[in-house]
């Protein structure tokens, strides 16, 4: 029954995407300013900034060095000399990502601003930003793209993550927009805003998930958020399970804290269809899985537990989604990698039970950990 329901939702999204396929990008070149906050991003900063500076839609790039202790400042100053007038380098004491974004906003002169991360590759040879801009021109106040995965130099875990990440983001955020009126988040790695809107609402560092807090603040104030599935960016993934655990813990606990901060949204259409389903599915799924797996272990041991945890129909579905990612990334290895995506299901279940509920009750978050960065070759 669950698989059939999931497939029905997929069919709805496919029909919607087909109807939107003829949407054309808005080709207003040099009409967007970009802000890139950077904290200890030395290994990957040059590639990220270079791609943005080569993007025809970008007028200027504002990079805020948020008190880095590595060579981020040196890399940024060196690049500013090469791109004088196009790259604005801002150095400050560490304030947090929200503070860095607001500092960068002081230098924006364009009517719309694109936000991304220093570990994220934004392709300069496609019209991704043009599709975001088309949504802004159609009346959106903020629009999010699809943060996929950078697989350059990536190991096993990033490939597993990438196998389902792109199709699941498209599926979830499109459904949230259709049912809840807006996607639940405008990702900090791929979001475009009307500059006046961003200045009116502003980022804060009261949570460790400033993009989620901002997105829900915009919804609460009546601004229009949209999801665009024609703009893809490629942030780096974690290569170790420890870093992945910490990152997901930050996301999930931050999600819980945002629910406390924005509790008035919960009974609204947005709350019922964009916020609550992810929490309910995670908690109900975790409890149900424990009960079913325990029953299977009592009946037949480890073999029955594996068969219950990895049913054939589920494997077929995830490997089909893995095929979508494999075509997008041009990596056939993502198809078998999708079979291991249960790792992330179990990860989410465990963190919701161990930390998410606690964050919902206490409103406290763990310290923000910095994942390791991988150096990229600049084309």
């Amino acid at each position: 029954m669950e698989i059939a329901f999931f497939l029905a939702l997929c069919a709805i999204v496919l029909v919607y995407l087909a109807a939107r396929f003829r949407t054309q990008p808005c080709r207003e070149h040099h009409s967007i300013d970009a802000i890139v906050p950077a904290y200890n991003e030395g290994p990957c900063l040059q590639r990220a900034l270079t791609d943005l500076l080569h993007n025809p839609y970008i007028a200027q790039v504002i990079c805020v060095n948020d008190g880095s202790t590595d060579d981020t400042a040196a890399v940024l100053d060196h690049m500013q000399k090469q791109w004088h007038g196009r790259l604005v380098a801002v150095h400050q004491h560490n304030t947090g990502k929200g503070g860095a974004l607001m500092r960068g906003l002081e230098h924006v002169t364009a009517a719309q601003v694109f936000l991304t991360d220093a570990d994220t590759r934004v392709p300069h040879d496609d019209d991704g930003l043009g599709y975001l801009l088309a949504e802004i021109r159609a009346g959106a106040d903020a629009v999010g793209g699809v943060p996929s995965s950078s697989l350059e130099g990536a190991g096993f875990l990033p490939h597993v993550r990438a196998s389902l990440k792109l199709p699941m983001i498209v599926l979830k955020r499109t459904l949230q927009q259709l049912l809840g009126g807006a996607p639940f988040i405008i990702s900090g790695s791929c979001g475009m805003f009307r500059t006046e809107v961003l200045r009116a609402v502003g980022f804060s560092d009261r949570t460790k998930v400033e993009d989620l807090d901002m997105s829900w603040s915009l919804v609460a104030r009546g601004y229009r958020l949209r999801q665009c599935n024609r703009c893809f960016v490629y942030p780096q993934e974690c290569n170790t399970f420890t870093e992945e655990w910490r990152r997901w813990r930050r996301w999930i606990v931050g999600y819980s804290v945002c629910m406390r901060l924005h509790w008035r949204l919960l009974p609204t259409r947005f709350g019922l269809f964009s916020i609550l389903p992810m929490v309910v599915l995670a908690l109900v799924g975790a409890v149900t899985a424990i009960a079913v797996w325990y029953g299977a272990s009592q009946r037949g041991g480890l073999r029955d537990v594996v068969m219950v945890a990895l049913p054939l129909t589920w494997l077929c579905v995830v490997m089909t989604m893995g095929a979508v990612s494999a075509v997008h990334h041009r990596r056939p290895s993502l198809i078998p990698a999708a079979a291991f995506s249960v790792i992330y299901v179990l990860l989410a279940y465990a963190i919701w039970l161990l930390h998410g509920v606690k964050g919902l009750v206490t409103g406290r978050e763990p310290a923000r950990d910095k994942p390791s960065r991988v150096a990229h070759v600049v084309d």
Side-chain angles (χ1 to χ4, degrees):
M1 179 63 72
E2 293 85 354
I3 296 296
F5 180 67
F6 177 78
L7 293 176
L9 294 179
C10 290
I12 293 172
V13 171
L14 287 174
V15 170
Y16 174 80
L17 294 178
R20 298 277 299 170
F21 187 75
R22 292 187 179 181
T23 301
Q24 296 297 311
C26 179
R27 293 191 173 88
E28 295 179 21
H29 291 173
H30 307 293
S31 62
I32 303 165
D33 283 354
I35 303 177
V36 181
Y39 175 69
N40 290 349
E41 303 284 3
C44 53
L45 182 60
Q46 184 179 0
R47 169 65 180 271
L49 296 181
T50 299
D51 279 341
L52 283 170
L53 289 161
H54 280 297
N55 195 299
Y57 289 94
I58 298 297
Q60 67 172 345
V61 177
I62 302 143
C63 184
V64 182
N65 169 30
D66 190 34
S68 299
T69 57
D70 67 350
D71 64 342
T72 293
V75 172
L76 182 54
D77 287 341
H78 175 72
M79 289 195 65
Q80 186 183 36
K81 294 176 182 177
Q82 295 178 314
W83 295 89
H84 182 69
R86 293 280 316 286
L87 176 60
V88 178
V90 181
H91 300 282
Q92 66 175 27
H93 294 295
N94 183 263
T95 63
K97 188 175 178 182
L101 289 168
M102 294 308 295
R103 180 71 183 280
L105 191 59
E106 297 174 5
H107 298 268
V108 171
T109 58
Q112 45 278 320
V113 57
F114 176 69
L115 306 183
T116 189
D117 293 326
D119 72 310
T120 300
R121 182 172 63 85
V122 179
H124 63 270
D125 53 356
D126 65 21
D127 285 314
L129 297 188
Y131 285 108
L132 296 183
L133 189 57
E135 293 288 349
I136 295 290
R137 292 290 180 262
D141 297 300
V143 55
V146 181
S148 187
S149 301
S150 173
L151 296 177
E152 299 175 9
F156 172 70
L157 274 179
H159 281 77
V160 175
R161 172 88 166 123
S163 66
L164 296 189
K165 185 178 179 182
L166 184 153
M168 284 303 296
I169 285 177
V170 171
L171 175 65
K172 288 191 299 183
R173 296 185 191 175
T174 300
L175 283 171
Q176 288 160 354
Q177 178 171 295
L178 291 173
L179 301 177
F184 86 108
I185 188 173
I186 302 297
S187 171
S189 64
C190 187
M192 187 176 294
F193 301 79
R194 294 185 188 274
T195 303
E196 61 183 18
V197 169
L198 204 55
R199 285 181 171 142
V201 179
F203 281 95
S204 80
D205 287 300
R206 61 179 180 171
T207 78
K208 302 298 191 298
V209 285
E210 69 294 319
D211 50 359
L212 189 63
D213 188 16
M214 160 63 83
S215 299
W216 294 6
S217 295
L218 290 172
V219 173
R221 298 191 185 196
Y223 290 107
R224 187 183 184 194
L225 278 63
R226 305 296 292 173
Q227 171 65 22
C228 174
N229 297 312
R230 303 288 291 276
C231 178
F232 302 95
V233 301
Y234 302 91
Q236 292 186 3
E237 301 289 353
C238 296
N239 270 298
T240 69
F241 186 78
T242 299
E243 289 188 343
E244 196 71 284
W245 175 277
R246 291 172 178 169
R247 182 169 66 166
W248 279 66
R249 182 182 62 180
R250 174 172 64 84
W251 287 343
I252 289 173
V253 177
Y255 198 110
S256 297
V257 171
C258 279
M259 288 179 64
R260 287 173 57 92
L261 293 171
H262 299 276
W263 60 270
R264 290 182 179 84
L265 283 175
L266 299 183
T268 67
R269 174 190 174 191
F270 178 74
L272 294 174
F273 290 101
S274 292
I275 297 176
L276 291 176
M278 295 182 66
V279 182
V280 173
L281 287 174
L283 293 177
V284 172
V287 173
T288 302
I290 291 172
V292 171
W293 296 343
Y294 177 76
S297 67
Q298 294 297 102
R299 292 192 304 271
L302 181 61
R303 178 176 177 276
D304 278 19
V305 173
V306 173
M307 292 182 65
V308 169
L310 299 170
L312 182 60
T313 51
W314 181 83
L315 285 174
C316 290
V317 169
V318 297
M319 292 183 76
T320 299
M321 296 176 73
V324 174
S325 296
V327 171
H328 179 82
H329 288 278
R330 299 179 182 178
R331 296 206 179 201
S333 60
L334 294 182
I335 299 176
F340 295 92
S341 59
V342 69
I343 294 173
Y344 284 92
V345 175
L346 298 178
L347 179 71
Y349 284 173
I351 293 176
W352 268 109
L353 292 177
L354 294 173
H355 300 286
V357 175
K358 180 180 178 181
L360 188 59
V361 173
T362 66
R364 297 175 182 172
E365 298 175 87
R368 183 166 187 155
D369 294 289
K370 183 71 176 180
S372 301
R373 297 306 190 202
V374 179
H376 288 322
V377 176
V378 179
D379 295 332

